[in-house]
């Protein structure tokens, strides 16, 4: 078929200039044991007419420059005396793992990776493991796969303990800045983990070993018209405006709840999503925190009876979601003061009646430009077999609207979930 990927070069990219050495302490959020996992994503760049040069070589050189500014990403995670819960970063300058690859086909040959499962397995487009190193000890791994048409795919694997989505995208944009010839990144990074509150350990029982599920993959695009229709309904009924994110997660939560066909309408179903709290740190949304790239989020929890979620219109479900969002500043302040004693918001529990939502539309990955323009699409693979999750992304250019990428139902619930999501478009 010719749809094979051949890895042509594997090596570490070190910072291109001298960087500080020593140990850096992580924040209390960075050290949440559940965040010591790898986040994988594919960033697809269409060919640009007349644009010459090798994207892999350009990105490799720019990566070395960006690692001077973001030198902790060239280091290694090490466990402290308390194991993973006391992990820190050793700034060794050993570098990020970087792979160059070539695909024996064009992006059009593989449908521009618009339909899942892809003709090319995603693992072929992501960097393979560095020899002799535990993957979770590496903050960053990249692979650039060049296609015969001139397009390319950046496969990114990053450890969540180093950065949240906003922080990872900030770094990727810095690589893009250097790739386009800028003398320094547009945003100067700061480590500043001391800006993150460090409350005493809250009392919560250790989470039980999570149940593993056989989640099925589903991708559904929501049109701009269908989203705007709910926004208009919500405005008419409440006098308030809501976001496209509010509408998207309301619809996916309702569709999934209906698909579960829970016998008891009083069964509690829960929705979790992760809100950026940089503006709530010490110093607020000031120049002092503008370049912060560590984990800085808070888990927002929405609980409701399944019958209420199933029976409401989508605008009504939006209202259920917006109330906990409005309480975020007060709850975060309580957590920072060590006053929320019932349950640690960073110790998550996973059940089939729960849904986790992650928004990738506003992180900044869609703005990354290495000299070939911004990506036509970004495809996240932030999935776990114990975590029912839906990721809100953008459909491939030039489509508009929202793309829901979900792995949150098993086979028996998939047909109804799919029909409920499609019905939203009618």
């Amino acid at each position: 078929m010719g749809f094979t990927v051949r890895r042509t070069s594997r090596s570490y990219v070190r910072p291109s200039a001298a960087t500080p050495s020593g140990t850096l302490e992580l924040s209390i959020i960075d050290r949440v044991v559940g965040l010591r996992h790898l986040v994988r994503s594919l960033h697809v760049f269409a060919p640009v007419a007349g644009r010459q040069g090798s994207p892999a070589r350009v990105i490799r050189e720019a990566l070395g420059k960006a690692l001077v500014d973001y030198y902790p990403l060239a280091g290694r995670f090490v466990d402290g005396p308390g194991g993973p819960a006391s992990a820190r970063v050793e700034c060794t300058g050993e570098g990020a793992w970087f792979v160059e690859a070539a695909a024996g086909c064009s992006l059009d040959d593989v449908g521009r990776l618009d339909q899942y499962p892809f003709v090319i397995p995603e693992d072929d487009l992501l960097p393979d493991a560095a020899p002799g190193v535990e993957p979770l000890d590496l903050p960053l791994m990249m692979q650039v796969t060049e296609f015969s048409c001139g397009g390319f795919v950046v496969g990114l694997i990053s450890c969540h303990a180093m950065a949240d989505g906003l922080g990872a995208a900030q770094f990727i944009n810095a690589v893009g800045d250097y790739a386009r010839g800028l003398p320094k990144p547009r945003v100067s990074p700061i480590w500043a983990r001391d800006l993150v509150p460090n409350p005493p350990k809250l009392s919560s029982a250790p989470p039980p070993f999570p149940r593993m599920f056989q989640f099925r993959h589903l991708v559904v695009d929501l049109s701009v018209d269908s989203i705007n229709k709910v926004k208009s309904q919500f405005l008419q009924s409440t006098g308030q405006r809501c976001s496209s994110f509010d509408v998207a997660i309301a619809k996916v939560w309702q569709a999934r709840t209906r698909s579960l066909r829970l016998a008891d309408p009083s069964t509690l179903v829960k929705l979790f999503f992760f809100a950026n709290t940089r503006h709530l740190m010490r110093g607020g949304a000031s120049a002092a925190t503008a370049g912060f790239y560590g984990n800085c989020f808070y888990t927002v929890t929405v609980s409701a009876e399944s019958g209420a979620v199933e029976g409401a219109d989508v605008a009504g479900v939006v209202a259920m979601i917006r109330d906990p969002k409005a309480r975020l500043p007060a709850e975060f302040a309580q957590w920072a003061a060590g006053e929320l004693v019932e349950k640690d918001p960073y110790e998550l529990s996973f059940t089939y009646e729960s849904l986790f939502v992650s928004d990738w539309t506003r992180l900044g990955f869609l703005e990354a430009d290495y000299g070939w323009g911004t990506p036509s699409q970004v495809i996240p693979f932030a999935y776990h077999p114990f975590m029912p999750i839906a990721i809100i992304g953008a459909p491939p250019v030039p489509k508009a609207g929202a793309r829901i990428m979900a792995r949150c139902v098993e086979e028996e619930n998939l047909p109804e979930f799919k029909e409920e999501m499609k019905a939203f478009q009618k």
Side-chain angles (χ1 to χ4, degrees):
M1 296 286 287
F3 296 161
T4 57
V5 172
R6 181 172 57 91
R7 294 184 173 97
T8 57
S9 171
R10 299 174 174 88
S11 62
Y12 287 105
V13 174
R14 298 175 181 270
S16 60
T19 56
S21 59
T23 302
L24 289 173
E25 296 295 330
L26 295 168
S27 76
I28 191 173
I29 304 177
D30 296 331
R31 294 196 308 269
V32 170
V33 174
L35 287 186
R36 190 82 171 270
H37 71 262
L38 301 176
V39 179
R40 310 183 306 157
S41 56
L42 299 178
H43 307 246
V44 183
F45 292 83
V48 176
R51 181 67 165 89
Q52 302 297 315
S54 164
R57 294 195 189 102
V58 170
I59 294 172
R60 178 189 174 88
E61 181 179 349
L63 176 61
K65 294 177 180 178
L67 287 173
V68 176
D69 305 282
Y70 291 82
Y71 63 91
L73 276 79
R76 299 291 181 263
F77 289 107
V78 295
D79 291 343
S86 59
R88 69 248 351 231
V89 180
E90 290 289 349
C91 299
T92 61
E94 293 172 88
W97 183 241
F98 189 82
V99 179
E100 298 181 35
C105 58
S106 69
L107 279 172
D108 284 338
D109 289 334
V110 295
R112 300 208 169 200
L113 303 181
D114 189 18
Q115 299 293 325
Y116 189 88
F118 310 130
V119 177
I120 296 178
E122 63 259 30
D123 285 344
D124 290 355
L125 298 170
L126 290 160
D128 52 358
V133 180
E134 167 60 44
L136 288 175
D137 292 343
L138 276 172
L140 181 72
M141 295 172 272
M142 292 181 72
Q143 176 172 314
V144 179
T145 304
E146 298 179 355
F147 285 74
S148 60
C149 58
F152 62 98
V153 172
V154 176
L156 181 67
I157 301 179
S158 59
C159 185
H160 208 317
M162 177 65 75
D164 58 15
L166 284 165
Q170 179 182 307
F171 171 74
I172 289 302
N173 274 276
V175 177
D177 290 343
Y178 280 120
R180 297 196 316 280
L182 272 64
K184 64 178 183 178
R186 289 167 296 165
V187 177
S188 297
I190 60 169
W191 182 257
R193 294 316 201 258
D194 57 316
L195 293 176
V196 177
N198 188 23
K201 179 64 178 176
L202 305 176
S203 59
S204 62
F209 186 81
R211 173 187 164 191
M212 299 297 164
F213 300 99
Q214 300 293 322
F215 293 130
R216 297 296 305 276
H217 194 94
L218 178 66
V219 176
V220 178
D221 290 339
L222 306 182
S223 68
V224 173
D225 288 344
S226 62
I227 292 172
N228 286 342
K229 181 180 178 182
V230 176
K231 286 184 177 182
S232 177
Q233 291 171 346
F234 185 78
L235 180 62
Q236 290 175 0
S237 61
T238 67
Q240 299 176 337
R241 300 187 183 278
C242 66
S243 68
S244 296
F245 171 75
D246 294 334
V247 175
I249 64 173
K251 182 57 215 172
V252 73
W253 189 33
Q254 182 184 67
R256 183 180 187 272
T257 302
R258 287 175 174 174
S259 75
L260 298 185
R261 288 176 271 125
L262 297 168
D264 183 356
S266 67
T267 301
L268 274 185
V269 290
K270 293 188 176 183
L271 173 72
F272 301 90
F273 55 93
F274 310 103
N276 171 38
T277 54
R278 282 162 172 76
H279 60 294
L280 302 176
M281 294 199 308
R282 288 193 290 273
S286 65
T289 60
F292 183 84
Y293 61 97
N295 286 286
C296 195
F297 64 88
Y298 189 84
T299 309
V300 177
T301 304
V302 187
S303 298
E305 292 186 352
S306 61
V309 176
E310 291 176 25
D313 59 14
V314 180
V317 182
V318 169
M320 297 179 197
I321 292 166
R322 285 177 59 84
D323 286 344
K325 279 178 68 176
R327 294 196 299 269
L328 171 65
E331 286 196 11
F332 183 79
Q334 283 184 296
W335 170 79
E339 295 173 2
L340 285 176
V341 295
E342 291 185 8
K343 188 169 183 355
D344 188 332
Y346 299 95
E347 296 291 343
L348 304 177
S349 57
F350 306 99
T351 67
Y352 199 53
E353 291 74 38
S354 300
L355 176 66
F356 294 80
V357 176
S358 180
D359 181 12
W360 279 58
T361 60
R362 293 176 288 185
L363 298 179
F365 288 118
L366 291 166
E367 287 77 56
D369 183 354
Y370 304 104
W372 282 262
T374 54
S376 59
Q377 65 168 325
V378 173
I379 308 166
F381 292 98
Y383 305 113
H384 306 282
F386 52 83
M387 186 180 194
I389 190 167
I391 299 174
I392 313 298
V397 174
K399 295 179 185 176
R403 169 161 287 192
I404 311 295
M405 295 160 280
R407 286 186 186 176
C408 62
V409 295
E410 296 188 305
E411 180 64 40
E412 64 175 322
N413 305 117
L414 181 64
E416 192 166 344
F417 180 50
K418 188 183 298 184
E419 287 305 311
E420 285 287 343
M421 290 303 299
K422 287 182 177 178
F424 182 62
Q425 303 292 79
K426 296 176 182 177

